Amino acid sequence: SRFRPRVHYGVGARERLRSLIYDDRRLIIAVNHVSDTDPYTVAAAAWSSALRPVIGRTRVLAKDELFVETEPGRTRGRAALAERASQRRRIDMMGGIPVFRGKDHGLRAAARAGNLMMDVCAERLRRGDDLAVFPEGTCNDGDPAVLQHVGSGIGHIVARARAKDVDPTLVVMGLHYGPPPGRFRGASVHIDVPDLTLPEKPITIARTVAEYLQVAVELSVSEY
């Protein structure tokens, strides 16, 4: 099923992850965004991978509508409502942090909410949580093998965490669901831990994340 992904690793990545978790290092897991159900695929991948020990303390950034039972202005049948409730429970289990997007709430409100969200993420890291982030910000409706633009948000989270004396380690996770008609029925996941120290400036951090995440995405495609 789509929530039983096949997990692959970069050279030495599994051992590196286990070492980082044993040393109680904070992780920021950057994931490409292909489907609305990506947060659940990430949770399933974590459950069957070296990331399993951090599931209970990993906060997943997800769009705000996944935190409500119904979407505004939309009437749903009983089965759809049950599915939405089930998704909500999964998000709650993963310790989700809502992301409010400009196209849904207006740029000014989204900017204020985004600033608060980055503060919350940095504080969560300080308290001992890890983060899973979709730095593209929106689903990729084009070529799933080509990463979309990565904004500076992930860089600001890292910078704010450092201001709280936390220096998180980057983990990249590439997702690929295969070509239609099998798309979203099964996933290939590639996990790597780049052996690097992230730069200082938020925009440079974002560019570095994009570079390594693109490689993970390409490998997830080739390993499908």
Side-chain angles (χ1 to χ4, degrees):
S1 75
R2 77 179 76 176
F3 301 136
R4 290 183 181 176
R6 301 177 301 280
V7 179
H8 310 270
Y9 297 90
V11 177
R14 191 198 310 247
E15 295 74 17
R16 177 101 168 106
L17 271 175
R18 288 173 175 166
S19 176
L20 289 165
I21 292 168
Y22 179 82
D23 292 338
D24 199 28
R25 291 286 302 275
R26 299 283 66 77
L27 309 176
I28 290 187
I29 306 163
V31 191
N32 62 308
H33 201 2
V34 187
S35 163
D36 287 342
T37 60
D38 288 345
Y40 315 128
T41 305
V42 170
W47 185 260
S48 61
S49 74
L51 289 167
R52 185 169 180 174
V54 305
I55 286 179
R57 67 168 196 237
T58 300
R59 308 303 166 201
V60 181
L61 272 64
K63 62 182 181 180
D64 65 289
E65 67 183 53
L66 291 181
F67 292 82
V68 297
E69 303 297 340
T70 59
E71 296 176 24
R74 181 174 295 185
T75 302
R76 290 179 172 269
R78 183 175 298 176
L81 288 173
E83 174 63 19
R84 173 66 63 174
S86 175
Q87 289 181 354
R88 169 65 185 269
R89 286 192 296 271
R90 293 190 190 108
I91 287 287
D92 287 344
M93 179 186 69
M94 291 186 291
I97 297 175
V99 176
F100 297 87
R101 301 175 299 178
K103 69 179 183 179
D104 297 326
H105 301 279
L107 293 178
R108 185 173 297 179
R112 288 197 300 267
N115 190 57
L116 177 60
M117 177 270 293
M118 289 185 283
D119 282 341
V120 168
C121 288
E123 178 61 18
R124 286 292 191 180
L125 287 164
R126 187 193 69 79
R127 293 184 184 185
D129 290 339
D130 300 316
L131 294 178
V133 182
F134 298 94
E136 293 168 286
T138 188
C139 288
N140 187 347
D141 294 326
D143 185 349
V146 179
L147 197 68
Q148 300 175 104
H149 173 71
V150 171
S152 62
I154 191 168
H156 285 289
I157 291 171
V158 172
R160 295 183 192 199
R162 285 172 171 166
K164 296 176 178 288
D165 296 321
V166 178
D167 195 10
T169 297
L170 175 66
V171 178
V172 289
M173 181 184 290
L175 304 182
H176 183 63
Y177 295 96
R183 202 176 188 195
F184 308 134
R185 293 183 181 176
S188 166
V189 174
H190 184 91
I191 300 174
D192 207 351
V193 187
D195 189 12
L196 57 84
T197 299
L198 289 170
E200 293 298 321
K201 295 182 178 179
I203 189 64
T204 314
I205 294 171
R207 289 171 183 161
T208 301
V209 170
E211 176 184 347
Y212 284 93
L213 183 53
Q214 176 62 59
V215 173
V217 169
E218 292 172 4
L219 287 168
S220 71
V221 172
S222 67
E223 293 163 344
Y224 184 78

